Amino acid sequence: MIRAAEIREWRNQNVVDPEGRKIGVLEAVYVDTTTDEPAMATVRIGLPTRHQLAFVPLDRAIVGPDYVKVAYDKALVKKAPSVGMDDILPAGAEEEVFTYYGLTYEPGTGGERQLARR
């Protein structure tokens, strides 16, 4: 797994799918609040005047010299749950991101969020 300190250095780098197709640009990293390990990233997608931040899991991500390669297809990421450029992921929508990718959502025992932006 990529450590949080390392992945922050890749902000504004290209995010590509397993075939090397550019999905967008890495905007932010979200860590799992239980492990403090990178879990998701937001990718800036869309037209320059209508950018959105799509969520993509960082499991099996590979960092290259000028890119972050994720394990998910470009088309899947482009249709993923997203937020506006100045928005944050509402707590109630967090589970939707995990469900979209077929991942298990595990909030804290007191209902705490599973993701925190770093």
Side-chain angles (χ1 to χ4, degrees), residues 23 33 37 52-53 70 86 89 101 117:
I23 299 169
T33 57
E37 292 291 327
Q52 289 285 313
L53 298 175
V70 295
D86 296 325
L89 180 66
Y101 286 103
R117 185 176 171 162

Side-chain angles (χ1 to χ4, degrees), residues 51-53 82-88:
H51 280 134
Q52 289 285 313
L53 298 175
S82 62
V83 295
M85 289 296 293
D86 296 325
D87 297 334
I88 60 168

Side-chain angles (χ1 to χ4, degrees), residues 15-117:
V15 176
V16 299
D17 74 1
E19 302 298 319
R21 295 174 294 200
K22 182 179 175 182
I23 299 169
V25 177
L26 191 132
E27 179 70 23
V29 174
Y30 286 75
V31 298
D32 184 307
T33 57
T34 305
T35 64
D36 207 35
E37 292 291 327
M40 296 269 178
T42 51
V43 181
R44 192 168 51 236
I45 61 170
L47 301 172
T49 58
R50 299 178 69 191
H51 280 134
Q52 289 285 313
L53 298 175
F55 287 85
V56 63
L58 291 174
D59 61 316
R60 302 172 304 190
I62 299 169
V63 177
D66 59 352
Y67 63 86
V68 175
K69 184 184 286 188
V70 295
Y72 299 89
D73 185 72
K74 177 179 180 175
L76 183 68
V77 177
K78 293 262 185 175
K79 294 178 183 175
S82 62
V83 295
M85 289 296 293
D86 296 325
D87 297 334
I88 60 168
L89 180 66
E94 200 170 84
E95 185 173 3
E96 177 185 0
V97 175
F98 284 82
T99 302
Y100 178 80
Y101 286 103
L103 302 172
T104 303
Y105 179 65
E106 298 175 8
T109 55
E112 299 88 359
R113 296 181 74 147
Q114 186 173 342
L115 297 175
R117 185 176 171 162

